[in-house]
Amino acid sequence: MKLSGWGRYPKIDAQVTAPRSTDELTNLVQEGSAIARGNGRAYGDSAVSATNTIHMKHFNRMLAFDADTGQLVAEAGVLLADVIEAFLPRGWFPSVTPGTKFVTLGGMIAADVHGKNHHKDGSFGAYVDWVDIVTGDGSVERCSQTENVELFEWTVGGMGLTGVILRAAIRLRPVTSAWIEQTTLVADNITHAIELFESSLDATYSVAWIDCLQTGTDLGRSLVMLGEHAPVTSVPAQYRKQPLQTPAKRKLSIPVDFPGWVLNGLSVRAFNAFYYWNAKRKPPRQLVDWDSYFYPLDAILGWNKIYGRRGFVQYQCVIPLNHAEDGLTELLAAIASAGAGSFLSVLKRFGAQESRFSFPMEGYTLALDFPVNTKTLALMDELDSITLRHNGRFYLAKDSRMPRDVFLQSEHRADDYSKYRRGEGASAAYSSAQSERLGL
Ligand SMILES: Cc1cc2nc3c(=O)[nH]c(=O)nc-3n(C[C@H](O)[C@H](O)[C@H](O)COP(=O)(O)OP(=O)(O)OC[C@H]3O[C@@H](n4cnc5c(N)ncnc54)[C@H](O)[C@@H]3O)c2cc1C
């Protein structure tokens, strides 16, 4: 079948199998270089193997929960949405969550996903107690911070290239309500946005939406949104009896591909102007339900069709703290001058927690979507050069087009990872279209 990631680019002819048992799975791994696939929410080709893509959808059982520690043991194909549905009513929420709940635990571990709280809490891997994984020789090994440590460290953030994660123990965080107290700060430009982030490091969650088409003194004008889990006393009176529940919402769905012209500089400019103006006139403090706060895009099913048949690419890089202002200014100037920005341009502050091969480093991460066309592909090459000049790196969970030399220049850890994989027989057993493209 033709297979791609969430960005629907590139589309690759791929052999896909969905095993139902560990035995079936280990047999499949012997059949030639394989890669695990979770829910396909990585944007590019990291969960695609032309010869042997192993879909984990049948490994979807939650196995045990410890209500004293918040430790959940579950199979790798369990969706985060199902974890929240089962445990939020009992007062537990993911310790770290990406911007969509339609991801699997295996995918979250393999990409070591980050949320809006990286500056404070680190990434998802910090809440993984152990992982059971099918390794290069087909055996199942348990690994953790104390057992098979190297395997654990390369697996968290290793993009599925150490083996297939079968199950894991993760820790949830206790919450008393399903609501978030959100404070919106208006930043006039990128310098101001950075100042606001730096003075908000105590906030549990922070994220900025950037109007990426502005130039001059308005370059990088943005809305910095801070969030805290609300105490029961802040919950609206009508919901206070059941503070862990929020009203059900209707979902929209995009049934067909939008024509390519819908998304252009003009429509993005109009949307951005309205969004910025609308946020400025609202009260800065608001109470928001968990779903709207963490997963606004999940309310529109199939929103990836908005970009049309050719698909889209998400560009996400991180610039280290000491280069952040200069690097972000150059990136935003290049994007604005190409007139190619997206509705969704997001800036986050990463903290100091780093792992063996995970994406985050202390600094600022910028993420934006571009429809696939000659102009935007050329722009992304230019953004690569700017990121490299500022010692940044790129997020493999979003990448679908990076050239190998750019990756190897940005990723000084790639050599060690390849050596480790070769030594363990993992490079012969596991590869993705992405790892082949990047020479990993
Ligand atoms: C709307 C949206 C918002 C997002 N926001 C964020 C964000 O804020 N922060 C962030 O960090 N990411 C974000 N992402 C990216 C997403 O969280 C990651 O790509 C995640 O890995 C997707 O999980 P998945 O289950 O869909 O995995 P897939 O896309 O299927 O696979 C992703 C990678 O995980 C590997 N993998 C999957 N399952 C297993 C397994 N069982 N064993 C071994 N390897 C496995 C695959 O081989 C592949 O390398 C976002 C994506 C979308 C679509």
Side-chain angles (χ1 to χ4, degrees):
M1 62 187 285
K2 287 265 183 225
L3 196 62
S4 57
W6 183 244
R8 304 165 81 210
Y9 172 87
K11 293 189 177 76
I12 295 169
D13 271 319
Q15 180 74 34
V16 185
T17 321
R20 290 179 178 272
S21 67
T22 308
D23 282 350
E24 257 186 62
L25 196 158
T26 47
N27 286 340
L28 265 175
V29 168
Q30 317 294 329
E31 279 177 21
S33 197
I35 197 72
R37 184 175 178 89
N39 204 33
R41 253 40 182 200
Y43 278 67
D45 47 359
S46 64
V48 180
S49 154
T51 50
N52 196 356
T53 305
I54 301 181
H55 204 304
M56 295 298 287
K57 65 182 175 189
H58 297 305
F59 290 76
N60 61 354
R61 286 169 301 177
M62 295 187 223
L63 305 170
F65 183 67
D66 181 337
D68 291 328
T69 60
Q71 190 196 62
L72 169 69
V73 178
E75 291 183 331
V78 165
L79 284 180
L80 188 63
D82 294 335
V83 173
I84 297 172
E85 191 183 318
F87 289 99
L88 183 54
R90 304 192 207 178
W92 298 93
F93 196 73
S95 298
V96 167
T97 173
T100 171
K101 57 187 177 298
F102 299 124
V103 289
T104 63
L105 297 189
M108 290 174 78
I109 295 169
D112 192 15
V113 296
H114 56 270
K116 298 170 180 167
N117 55 342
H118 191 277
H119 61 282
K120 209 161 179 190
D121 300 322
S123 48
F124 190 71
Y127 304 90
V128 177
D129 287 339
W130 53 258
V131 169
D132 282 347
I133 181 165
V134 182
T135 59
D137 64 9
S139 64
V140 178
E141 307 250 5
R142 176 156 300 183
C143 60
S144 69
Q145 293 287 8
T146 54
E147 190 178 358
N148 287 323
V149 178
E150 253 203 309
L151 175 61
F152 182 76
E153 290 184 349
W154 286 117
T155 295
V156 172
M159 300 305 289
L161 298 169
T162 56
V164 180
I165 298 165
L166 283 178
R167 61 187 86 81
I170 62 162
R171 261 166 296 126
L172 305 177
R173 70 161 68 211
V175 293
T176 52
S177 87
W179 297 82
I180 299 290
E181 287 174 333
Q182 175 178 286
T183 305
T184 304
L185 310 171
V186 178
D188 301 329
N189 51 42
I190 189 63
T191 308
H192 190 195
I194 290 175
E195 279 166 20
L196 291 173
F197 270 110
E198 294 302 315
S199 58
S200 308
L201 289 174
D202 282 347
T204 304
Y205 300 108
S206 61
V207 62
W209 166 86
I210 299 198
D211 180 351
C212 58
L213 290 181
Q214 295 301 313
T215 54
T217 52
D218 291 337
L219 183 93
R221 77 173 184 184
S222 36
L223 303 170
V224 180
M225 290 171 257
L226 312 179
E228 299 296 335
H229 289 281
V232 177
T233 45
S234 303
V235 170
Q238 70 267 40
Y239 303 117
R240 215 167 288 158
K241 274 205 176 125
Q242 291 185 309
L244 292 162
Q245 276 168 27
T246 49
K249 277 181 294 183
R250 280 183 53 198
K251 290 211 186 315
L252 295 174
S253 136
I254 307 287
V256 291
D257 289 311
F258 277 24
W261 52 262
V262 170
L263 251 194
N264 58 39
L266 272 181
S267 58
V268 174
R269 200 176 288 279
F271 171 87
N272 284 1
F274 172 76
Y275 194 73
Y276 189 73
W277 168 81
N278 192 38
K280 272 179 94 168
R281 70 186 184 98
K282 281 190 180 160
R285 290 174 74 89
Q286 284 183 303
L287 201 66
V288 186
D289 68 85
W290 63 275
D291 210 3
S292 310
Y293 182 78
F294 290 103
Y295 313 111
L297 287 170
D298 287 350
I300 308 171
L301 298 173
W303 63 262
N304 53 351
K305 296 196 196 103
I306 289 175
Y307 288 87
R309 215 176 280 271
R310 291 180 70 181
F312 69 109
V313 172
Q314 181 159 103
Y315 192 88
Q316 184 168 2
C317 62
V318 55
I319 306 285
L321 211 49
N322 58 344
H323 281 255
E325 188 173 343
D326 290 347
L328 291 171
T329 302
E330 280 185 45
L331 288 167
L332 289 167
I335 293 160
S337 101
S342 63
F343 300 120
L344 292 169
S345 307
V346 169
L347 186 67
K348 288 181 200 148
R349 167 70 154 87
F350 280 160
Q353 188 247 6
E354 285 201 39
S355 315
R356 276 272 190 168
F357 196 64
S358 305
F359 166 62
M361 66 163 91
E362 186 163 31
Y364 281 86
T365 179
L366 179 69
L368 18 74
D369 295 340
F370 296 106
V372 174
N373 59 48
T374 324
K375 189 173 141 189
T376 54
L377 289 171
L379 170 64
M380 284 184 269
D381 289 341
E382 190 186 344
L383 302 182
D384 288 347
S385 307
I386 298 171
T387 302
L388 286 178
R389 258 206 320 280
H390 290 282
N391 303 331
R393 66 165 81 115
F394 307 94
Y395 192 13
L396 295 183
K398 305 293 177 69
D399 160 64
S400 43
R401 38 69 48 194
M402 193 183 351
R404 181 179 293 200
D405 63 310
V406 169
F407 170 68
L408 294 175
Q409 280 179 67
S410 71
E411 198 41 272
H412 305 296
R413 306 168 300 179
D415 241 11
D416 284 347
Y417 191 20
S418 296
K419 265 187 215 134
Y420 171 78
R421 291 200 331 112
R422 275 197 301 276
E424 299 297 315
S427 48
Y430 298 105
S431 63
S432 60
Q434 178 180 62
S435 73
E436 283 162 18
R437 173 167 51 83
L438 299 178
L440 194 55

